[in-house]
Amino acid sequence: MGKLSTHVLDITTGKPGAGVRLELYRVSSGEKILLKTEVTNQDGRCTAPLLEGADLIAGMYELVFAAGDYFDAQGVDLPEPKFIDYVTLAFGIADTSQNYHVPLLISPWAYSTYRGS
């Protein structure tokens, strides 16, 4: 039985991105369906998997991270509009027996992700 998880790392400080609001969507036939809204804990992670068991189905998903709000809360002086405000990671889940870990490494000027396990 697989699961979907995420975490946020603030690469400007080298610390977990605590307090980042995120939304998980399932994308089907061009329609986005909100499945969950979470806020990362002190370790930059959600306290439980975003999806697991029967809730983890094959298909397309999006994670949307409120990066601009996070950097505002950290007191980072940024121009308006922000270069990076919301980060949307679109990804697919093909095999629901596997774990899909979709982390976000973020700064006010760049971000990256990868598939972890």
Side-chain angles (χ1 to χ4, degrees), residues 42-96:
Q42 290 302 102
D43 195 32
R45 299 176 184 276
C46 297
T47 56
L50 296 171
L51 296 173
E52 64 183 328
D55 291 331
L56 182 68
I57 62 172
M60 296 301 300
Y61 293 85
E62 288 185 4
L63 275 168
V64 180
F65 298 85
D69 292 347
Y70 165 77
F71 286 114
D72 284 345
Q74 300 306 305
V76 178
D77 186 24
L78 295 174
E80 285 296 334
K82 295 172 182 72
F83 181 69
I84 294 177
D85 197 1
Y86 292 92
V87 175
T88 301
L89 303 179
F91 59 96
I93 292 178
D95 184 350
T96 60

Side-chain angles (χ1 to χ4, degrees), residues 10-11 49 53 65 74 78 92 105 111 113 115:
D10 180 341
I11 59 175
F65 298 85
Q74 300 306 305
L78 295 174
L105 290 74
Y111 65 88
T113 192
R115 181 186 169 194

